[in-house]
Structure formats: C-alpha cells, structure tokens
Amino acid sequence: MKYVHFFLLSIIFLASCTTKEKPVTKEEAVQFAKSLEKSIAVRNENFFNNAFDMDAILSKMKAAAPGESGSFWKGVKKGMGEKLKLGSKVIQSLGSKGTYSIVKQYQQGDKQHVLFRLFSDGSINYHDFELVNKDGIIKIADMFIYITGELFSKTLTDIFREVHSSDDKNYAALDDFSKLNKLVQKKEYEEAKEMLNRLPENLKKTKTLQLKALEIYLETDTAQYALIAEKFRHDFPDDPSLNLALLDGMIVKEKYDGALDCINQLDSRINKDPLLDYYRGLLYNLQGKTETALAAFEQLYKNMPEFSPGAMELCTYYMDKDNYKQAAAIIKKAKTNKDFDESVLENLQAQYPRLKQFTSD
C-alpha cells in the first residue's frame, strides 16, 4: 500500500476584502461535507476546487510568520501563480475506484470541522477541514493533512520561507516539487529520486520533503529508506504524520506488531475510523493470526458493508471454511457497491474454482 501525499503549492494570492463572518452551524457543516463527498463521488472537481477561502489561508500564513518582511509576502505572491485545484488533484489520485468519504463532523472550540478519508488502491490519508462562513457561503479556512502532520497553511509558509531565504531563482523549485509529486503519483520513482536530489538542500531538510523522500526511497533503496526514517523519527518525534509515514517501512521489514501499533495510534488520534479494521485484518493475516483477522474483517463488514475490498477479503475466510453460500451472498451485495472491482471477483474465482457455481447469474 502506498500513502497518498497531498502537498499542493500553486494557489492564487487574493487581496484581503471586508466580509462578515458568522459561526458555522453543525447542520451547515454536515451539508457542506455531504456536498463535497457527492461531488467527488461523481468525479466533479468544481465544488472542491472552489471550496477554499483563500483570504483565510493567507491570513493563517501571516499569523504563522508574523516577523516576515514585506519582501517575503511579495515573494509569496510571486510563488502563488495559479488557483488551487485540490478537487482536480484528489480526483486524479482516486482513479476510478477510489473513495473520498466523510469520517465525522465535530466541533473544536467555536469552529466546525469535517474529517475526510481518502482511500485508493490500498492508500489512505485524512484531511481535517476547518470551516468558515463567508457571506453565507461555507468555505474551508484551512486543512490539517495527516500525512504531513500539520496545517496546509503552515506547510506553505515553511516552504516559502525556505525559498525566500535563498536566491530568487529557487522559486523554480516550487515547479520542480510539483513535477516531483506527479512522478511519484505515476510511480516513476527513479525519475522522482533524481529530481528530489536536484532540489535545494534547504528544501530537502523540510518535513514535507523528508516525507516525500520516505515514499520514494521505500521503492528504490530500502537501506537509504531506513536512514531517512531514523532521521525523521529524530527530527519529528511524536509527529502526527509518523504513523502513516512509517507504516509501509514496518510492513516491508515484516515488523507487523509495529505496523499494528501505527494503525492503533492513528485510530486513537482520529477517534475512530472503522475502515482501519481493514488494515488490522491484513496485518493479523500476515502474522498468521487467522481467527483474529477474521474477527477484524467481520467487524469491518458490520460497520461498512459498502466497502468492497473488505467484503472480498472476508469472503476468502468463509470459503476457507467451506462456507461458499455465505461468501456468495456477500459478493452479491458487494456487486452493488460503487467501488466493486470485477477483476477481484475473477481472481477469487480462479483461486477458489467452486465459487463460480455459487456466483453465476
């Protein structure tokens, strides 16, 4: 499984304007979340692309860097050349079967939040949106990205600080970073490693680039991955991104107890996501704990029958117990799910030849 990294560096600089903010109600937060979820489900990027309050993002950036000069903010304006298109990027990462789903709505202080889960091809990440009401329209004031372990506004501020502290030519590094993300998304890891090594040293020391390096070196050089992972633990102990960042490496090294600990700590921080039983089931299976894995998949199916990957995993346990009728009933229901993959069923039928007679129409 590969985790999806969402560090986006092209947003428009908007001048401040006078607007009246009103508290966002719980009902408004829920409706916003439903609209966002629905738009991504039908692969319509427009709602999400226009959901950010750019004034609020810029205001948070300024609050995170109160001592920065006018020339710094002039540089920020120069670096922010295009409108943020987060919806487009999320849809691109999801492919045809990935999901972007509401986990929960909650209130923190006087702010309404909605937490979303991104799941695609075994990848998982979470976006926690802080909402704001601007002239009666609900917008995103900022987002906490679990894979980076920090607010989007802070990530932007830190990157621009590094760029501004160097030669102006280093603004070109922002374009290079965007290209780097695209290479990783296309799984062109060797090319991504070459581009990563060409980036300025001050940028490579940032948490965002260390996380990106973990993803790249896991696929290209596991020894170097181990060194980067150790440095990340040292530089960012107890960081919220640590559980997602190191999970792949734990699995590659067959440290399944450590991987389970990552999942459990992530679940505790989120408070709670039933989909994480999917990863528990997979990890218990790798440990040879068949009955414990079965219990995890059964719990997952009880809470999320619409999640086809979990349903199909559960079927294999029932078929191993020669309970083909129960497996076939689950498959029949899973076929109505939006994320159902016919090729997975074909693979199961090849692995369990008797299944075909129970699933033929």
Side-chain angles (χ1 to χ4, degrees):
M1 62 188 91
K2 289 306 307 167
Y3 295 103
V4 183
H5 293 216
F6 283 97
F7 175 64
L8 310 170
L9 286 170
S10 54
I11 64 177
I12 192 168
F13 182 93
L14 298 179
S16 298
C17 56
T18 303
T19 57
K20 292 183 179 180
E21 288 190 29
K22 296 181 180 178
V24 179
T25 66
K26 176 181 177 180
E27 292 73 21
E28 287 172 333
V30 170
Q31 184 55 53
F32 173 89
K34 288 180 178 178
S35 297
L36 177 55
E37 183 180 58
K38 182 178 179 180
S39 67
I40 297 299
V42 298
R43 301 304 191 253
N44 185 329
E45 62 193 32
N46 295 329
F47 183 88
F48 207 169
N49 282 348
N50 297 313
F52 276 82
D53 180 350
M54 306 314 301
D55 288 335
I57 292 285
L58 183 58
S59 177
K60 290 207 168 198
M61 291 178 69
K62 288 183 175 180
E68 293 296 343
S69 64
S71 63
F72 172 78
W73 295 113
K74 182 179 179 181
V76 170
K77 181 178 180 179
K78 178 180 178 181
M80 294 178 177
E82 298 178 1
K83 187 175 181 181
L84 172 65
K85 293 184 177 180
L86 184 57
S88 304
K89 292 176 172 61
V90 167
I91 287 172
Q92 183 180 7
S93 71
L94 290 176
S96 61
K97 298 296 183 182
T99 57
Y100 197 70
S101 308
I102 305 166
V103 177
K104 66 178 180 179
Q105 168 275 329
Y106 69 99
Q107 184 169 332
Q108 187 174 67
D110 62 348
K111 304 292 185 181
Q112 288 289 334
H113 288 250
V114 288
L115 178 68
F116 271 75
R117 175 208 316 117
L118 189 155
F119 180 87
S120 177
D121 193 27
S123 305
I124 193 167
N125 191 15
Y126 296 91
H127 294 165
D128 188 333
F129 298 109
E130 177 190 321
L131 303 181
V132 63
N133 184 329
K134 286 294 183 71
D135 292 334
I137 301 174
I138 308 305
K139 294 276 191 177
I140 298 169
D142 208 345
M143 61 187 288
F144 185 91
I145 306 173
Y146 272 71
I147 195 61
T148 63
E150 62 188 21
L151 290 169
F152 181 52
S153 59
K154 183 181 185 304
T155 303
L156 287 173
T157 303
D158 288 347
I159 289 293
F160 278 113
R161 272 177 157 171
E162 291 297 336
V163 172
H164 186 261
S165 66
S166 303
D167 193 286
D168 279 347
K169 293 181 180 179
N170 277 340
Y171 280 106
L174 299 179
D175 290 333
D176 288 341
F177 188 83
S178 179
K179 294 174 184 176
L180 177 68
N181 279 333
K182 291 178 181 178
L183 288 171
V184 172
Q185 197 170 73
K186 292 189 292 185
K187 299 183 179 180
E188 297 176 2
Y189 296 109
E190 289 295 341
E191 293 87 344
K193 183 170 68 173
E194 292 178 7
M195 180 158 284
L196 175 69
N197 290 332
R198 291 199 300 268
L199 289 174
E201 288 300 320
N202 58 330
L203 287 180
K204 286 193 283 188
K205 292 177 183 178
T206 63
K207 182 170 72 171
T208 300
L209 265 295
Q210 286 192 41
L211 286 166
K212 188 61 65 177
L214 281 171
E215 186 174 4
I216 293 169
Y217 279 99
L218 180 64
E219 300 293 337
T220 58
D221 186 340
T222 54
Q224 186 64 22
Y225 170 89
L227 293 175
I228 297 171
E230 190 58 38
K231 181 175 182 355
F232 189 88
R233 286 193 190 96
H234 177 269
D235 291 348
F236 306 101
D238 302 319
D239 190 274
S241 66
L242 200 61
N243 297 314
L244 284 177
L246 300 182
L247 181 58
D248 276 345
M250 292 284 187
I251 295 171
V252 168
K253 295 179 181 180
E254 299 183 359
K255 294 182 177 181
Y256 302 131
D257 285 336
L260 279 165
D261 188 51
C262 286
I263 291 296
N264 292 333
Q265 287 188 43
L266 176 63
D267 206 14
S268 178
R269 186 177 293 273
I270 290 170
N271 189 31
K272 295 281 188 176
D273 182 5
L275 186 136
L276 291 178
D277 277 327
Y278 177 67
Y279 295 95
R280 292 188 180 98
L282 295 175
L283 289 166
Y284 287 135
N285 183 62
L286 289 170
Q287 291 178 312
K289 299 178 179 179
T290 305
E291 292 303 315
T292 311
L294 172 59
F297 286 122
E298 287 180 327
Q299 184 67 24
L300 172 65
Y301 187 70
K302 177 182 177 182
N303 291 324
M304 297 182 64
E306 74 281 3
F307 180 64
S308 295
M312 302 306 277
E313 287 286 346
L314 179 58
C315 288
T316 65
Y317 288 84
Y318 289 148
M319 288 187 290
D320 286 339
K321 294 176 179 291
D322 204 34
N323 191 345
Y324 280 82
K325 287 185 178 180
Q326 191 169 5
I330 291 173
I331 290 170
K332 182 178 180 180
K333 187 173 182 179
K335 282 185 174 181
T336 65
N337 295 340
K338 292 181 179 179
D339 65 347
F340 182 76
D341 189 341
E342 190 69 34
S343 67
V344 175
L345 175 57
E346 292 172 359
N347 290 336
L348 281 180
Q349 289 173 335
Q351 186 178 356
Y352 297 89
R354 287 182 59 201
L355 176 62
K356 202 160 190 175
Q357 71 187 66
F358 290 90
T359 54
S360 58
D361 295 330

